[in-house]
Amino acid sequence: MKPGSLDDQLEVAEDSEQLVHNLAEHIYDLSKLALDARGQFTISLSGGSTPKALYEYLASDYHEKLSWGSILWFIGDERCVPHDDKDSNYKMINEALFSKAPVPRSNVFATEGQDKDPKAAAAQYDSIMRQVVPARTSGFPCFDLVLLGLGPDGHTCSLFPDSPALKNQENCFVENWVEKFNAFRLTTTYPVLNAARNVIFLAAGKEKAEILNKVLNQPDAGFPAQKIHPTPGRLQWFVDKAAVAEVNTASSTR
Ligand code: 6PG
């Protein structure tokens, strides 16, 4: 299979439960490689509903397997609400993972003040990311793993179509005005996403089938998710059969 080809990138599971199990084991494998090579595993987590089951599964079934003390957790994007708000990505991830596993609080890096001053909160998180996550040749922080979701409009992280952050090539993490929400979001930028050793999209369910097919098979469509090309890192899509129902691929179910 040609490296970087669509078939090489797609990991197709029977259903969302198998996707979660496959991805959890892959994350465990990546963590061992990172710990052997660098003594730590840096990961940027996706928000949204799809990854919640993954986080819960890691906390339960990998409770004894993961080296929790050597994993550094970042939030890839955040809503500009307090961390106890129902829409907060940190709240979802804390409830699903951080509060259910032996995660040292000092290993969790969350935004602060995002509900009061998005610009300042983004700048502070940008600085923390640069301090904590070592850079490689790009000069940008190089995460061992970035987990991403795919929105119905082809957004990922909080990089929405026609939003200002799409053009940002100098910051790591910024506030981003999202017209359709009439609100700011905070998001990791392309330079960091594309500097990662591994970038993995999660997409499950039939509601993702149409957008996933467009993102994978209409390269000139201009969706934000199509500008994720980790170099020299690896891009993978962990999907289930329902999500790839419209995608023409020879990939087999794992
Ligand atoms: C967010 C996410 C966003 C998400 C997609 C998919 O803050 O909402 O980071 O990019 O991954 O919107 O969300 P679902 O997994 O809920 O479909």
Side-chain angles (χ1 to χ4, degrees):
M1 199 178 297
K2 189 163 71 67
S5 68
L6 180 53
D7 283 352
D8 177 52
Q9 292 177 357
L10 276 177
E11 297 290 339
V12 184
E14 188 64 32
D15 53 32
S16 58
E17 183 179 7
Q18 187 190 46
L19 186 165
V20 163
H21 291 192
N22 294 348
L23 182 48
E25 187 63 18
H26 186 56
I27 291 171
Y28 173 60
D29 291 343
L30 291 177
S31 71
K32 287 188 293 184
L33 288 171
L35 293 178
D36 289 348
R38 291 171 296 280
Q40 68 180 23
F41 182 54
T42 55
I43 181 170
S44 171
L45 300 175
S46 171
S49 58
T50 305
K52 184 177 178 190
L54 169 67
Y55 301 150
E56 291 168 339
Y57 186 69
L58 287 173
S60 57
D61 289 60
Y62 284 74
H63 195 278
E64 306 307 322
K65 287 180 75 172
L66 280 173
S67 300
W68 300 97
S70 303
I71 302 175
L72 303 181
W73 309 88
F74 281 76
I75 315 287
D77 69 311
E78 188 53 283
R79 290 81 182 277
C80 294
V81 295
H83 282 324
D84 61 1
D85 186 288
K86 64 178 174 49
D87 290 336
S88 165
N89 284 335
Y90 172 79
K91 174 178 168 56
M92 179 275 285
I93 299 169
N94 184 50
E95 289 173 353
L97 178 60
F98 300 149
S99 63
K100 303 281 195 321
V103 177
R105 287 289 105 179
S106 58
N107 285 23
V108 175
F109 300 89
T111 58
E112 290 181 10
Q114 63 286 340
D115 53 322
K116 296 180 177 60
D117 185 340
K119 187 175 182 60
Q124 181 196 50
Y125 205 63
D126 181 295
S127 173
I128 291 168
M129 198 181 280
R130 290 176 194 270
Q131 288 168 37
V132 173
V133 183
R136 264 196 312 190
T137 50
S138 74
F140 285 94
C142 173
F143 282 96
D144 291 304
L145 174 60
V146 170
L147 291 177
L148 295 174
L150 177 65
D153 57 359
H155 81 263
T156 191
C157 246
S158 281
L159 297 167
F160 285 83
D162 307 316
S163 65
L166 297 179
K167 299 185 179 70
N168 191 305
Q169 291 296 320
E170 63 261 7
N171 300 101
C172 298
F173 197 81
V174 290
E175 74 286 0
N176 192 29
W177 180 256
V178 184
E179 197 61 42
K180 71 178 182 181
F181 298 141
N182 194 34
F184 279 105
R185 288 278 190 95
L186 303 186
T187 187
T188 306
T189 59
Y190 284 126
V192 172
L193 298 175
N194 286 326
R197 286 187 177 81
N198 296 276
V199 178
I200 295 177
F201 277 95
L202 289 72
K206 64 180 186 319
E207 67 278 2
K208 300 290 180 173
E210 182 181 356
I211 187 61
L212 183 59
N213 181 48
K214 288 178 180 175
V215 166
L216 295 179
N217 287 319
Q218 297 175 14
D220 301 328
F223 295 115
Q226 293 176 314
K227 294 178 174 59
I228 301 295
H229 303 294
T231 309
R234 184 180 184 191
L235 172 64
Q236 288 175 283
W237 292 80
F238 274 68
V239 299
D240 65 2
K241 287 180 79 172
V244 287
E246 298 180 22
V247 175
N248 309 316
T249 172
S251 283
S252 58
T253 304
R254 284 187 62 175

